[in-house]
Amino acid sequence: MNHASAIAAAAAALLASTLALSACDRASAPQAAAPPKPERAGQPLDAAKTAERLVKMRAQAFAGDQQGLQENLQGLNHDVSRSIRLADQARKVDRENARVAAKSVKGVNSVVWIDGENLLALVNQNTQRSYDTIDAICTQLEPLGDTLGVVVNLQSRAARTGDELEILSRNCQLPPGERAMMQRNRQIDVLPPEVRAQHRANADAALAGPDRSAERAENERIIRSSTPEL
């Protein structure tokens, strides 16, 4: 083997070793844990799980196992309540502790209860007005009670337009737009969606005409001043 071949072989061996070490490092590197997701309600009962529970309850009733029967009965009641989206009134979330817990979430600036079900939180940036932030708040509230009875509403402190001022709302355990049984879908936004849509249409029309930036700025000021802050 000549000198050039020897150098090439050594370089190839070094490259192979480097790639192998890099692969080992990637394999051994811990994966970032996904943020925890809050509980979910409104799903159909698991037929197999329910049948198994009923068989156990029948056997426990014949055997006189009152404790086991009571535990399974409570479990069945819990599953049914989750399925029909019925919040546990005996486990209402403690409101003051909930405010403290919600404020611990990154980006949340201030928190207030609008009523017994609706929690309003102001976030520092527009990007933090998201369902991920709602998930984080709901996860923090779970140790405090049944979050199926809580609707989290987010508003951005950095909002400058009608769309940015829109309040994002969701029940902790349900998809957007759904509410728990007997929980009203309260309109928190001062500006309904159709009013914002009209405002956008007016703004777009104004862009095609003479310069009316002062008028648009005044409209935005009115929108901001008419939106409640914490």
Side-chain angles (χ1 to χ4, degrees):
M1 180 182 295
N2 57 32
H3 185 65
S5 298
I7 292 177
L14 178 60
L15 177 61
S17 176
T18 301
L19 291 175
L21 289 174
S22 176
C24 289
D25 288 342
R26 289 195 299 271
S28 60
Q31 298 297 319
K37 290 294 184 180
E39 297 178 16
R40 287 289 181 257
Q43 303 299 316
L45 284 174
D46 185 320
K49 178 182 176 182
T50 302
E52 181 182 358
R53 191 190 296 278
L54 291 174
V55 169
K56 287 182 179 180
M57 291 172 64
R58 179 181 176 85
Q60 289 163 341
F62 276 116
D65 181 3
Q66 295 299 317
Q67 180 178 350
L69 179 61
Q70 182 66 23
E71 289 175 354
N72 271 303
L73 185 60
Q74 290 175 349
L76 179 60
N77 181 64
H78 177 271
D79 291 347
V80 171
S81 297
R82 298 298 93 183
S83 178
I84 64 175
R85 303 183 299 180
L86 179 61
D88 187 348
Q89 296 302 312
R91 297 182 54 244
K92 286 188 175 182
V93 170
D94 181 272
R95 295 175 63 175
E96 187 55 36
N97 287 333
R99 289 182 65 251
V100 175
K103 285 189 67 175
S104 70
V105 173
K106 181 179 179 181
V108 174
N109 180 272
S110 51
V111 181
V112 66
W113 284 93
I114 300 173
D115 54 33
E117 300 172 339
N118 284 276
L119 183 73
L120 176 63
L122 254 62
V123 292
N124 292 318
Q125 301 174 18
N126 292 334
T127 56
Q128 292 165 334
R129 185 179 59 90
S130 68
Y131 289 119
D132 286 340
T133 301
I134 290 180
D135 280 349
I137 292 175
C138 291
T139 302
Q140 290 295 317
L141 301 187
E142 284 179 355
L144 306 176
D146 184 8
T147 57
L148 184 56
V150 177
V151 177
V152 174
N153 305 272
L154 294 185
Q155 187 177 36
S156 172
R157 297 177 68 245
R160 292 296 179 267
T161 69
D163 286 344
E164 292 172 352
L165 281 166
E166 180 183 4
I167 293 177
L168 190 68
S169 301
R170 203 195 72 211
N171 180 290
C172 274
Q173 297 190 30
L174 298 171
E178 294 187 14
R179 292 294 182 266
M181 183 181 291
M182 297 180 292
Q183 187 178 61
R184 64 186 179 127
N185 196 345
R186 179 172 177 177
Q187 176 65 46
I188 304 298
D189 271 319
V190 173
L191 295 177
E194 58 271 18
V195 174
R196 288 196 303 273
Q198 184 61 53
H199 175 75
R200 285 195 301 271
N202 293 343
D204 291 341
L207 290 175
D211 182 12
R212 302 176 65 181
S213 57
E215 182 178 341
R216 292 197 299 274
E218 176 62 14
N219 289 339
E220 294 293 350
R221 186 194 66 77
I222 293 173
I223 290 174
R224 290 197 299 271
S225 64
S226 63
T227 301
E229 296 184 356
L230 300 186

